[in-house]
């Protein structure tokens, strides 16, 4: 799980990223990103997984998978952006490799 400094926690921050960020759509998730003016600022991530994805167990599984992918991005040195992932219903049935491919492409 990303450390507190790497999480988007406020609703205003989610809205800012989703409304004003660059959007990249995929088969399993939609990615919104806003670059920081200071490229050295820590990257922050947020996750939106609605009930359309499935029941609570399924939603948490999808969220855990996305967090794992983010942890590896942070370990590789990703900085300078606020990113929000919105999981689509197809993400519940998609294999982990496909979910990772969509996130990496974005």
């Amino acid at each position: 799980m990303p450390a507190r400094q790497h999480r988007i926690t406020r609703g205003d921050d989610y809205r800012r990223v989703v409304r004003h960020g660059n959007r990249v759509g995929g088969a399993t998730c939609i990615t919104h990103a806003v670059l920081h003016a200071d490229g050295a600022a820590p990257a922050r991530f947020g996750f939106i997984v609605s009930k359309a994805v499935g029941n609570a167990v399924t939603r948490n599984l999808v969220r855990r998978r996305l967090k794992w992918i983010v942890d590896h991005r942070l370990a590789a040195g990703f900085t300078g952006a606020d990113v929000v992932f919105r999981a689509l219903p197809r993400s519940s049935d998609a294999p982990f490799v496909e979910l990772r491919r969509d996130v990496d492409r974005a």
Side-chain angles (χ1 to χ4, degrees):
M1 176 153 163
R4 180 95 172 146
Q5 69 177 352
H6 295 294
R7 284 186 267 164
I8 296 175
T9 56
R10 296 179 48 227
D12 291 339
D13 292 337
Y14 272 98
R15 279 188 288 281
R16 180 180 55 83
V17 173
V18 170
R19 289 181 183 162
H20 302 293
N22 294 327
R23 178 179 184 258
V24 177
T28 58
C29 70
I30 296 174
T31 305
H32 302 271
V34 172
L35 298 177
H36 294 276
D38 176 20
R44 297 187 315 156
F45 296 90
F47 307 95
I48 301 171
V49 185
S50 73
K51 287 187 177 181
V53 172
N55 62 16
V57 173
T58 305
R59 291 193 309 267
N60 285 326
L61 174 70
V62 170
R63 187 177 294 114
R64 281 193 310 270
R65 287 178 171 180
L66 289 170
K67 286 180 180 182
W68 189 89
I69 294 167
V70 164
D71 277 340
H72 281 77
R73 286 281 159 235
L74 289 170
F78 184 80
T79 60
D82 285 348
V83 182
V84 172
F85 298 106
R86 185 163 39 101
L88 298 175
R90 188 163 188 278
S91 64
S92 64
D93 298 331
F96 180 76
V97 175
E98 185 178 347
L99 185 63
R100 186 172 185 178
R101 189 177 330 118
D102 272 358
V103 170
D104 289 344
R105 186 178 62 85

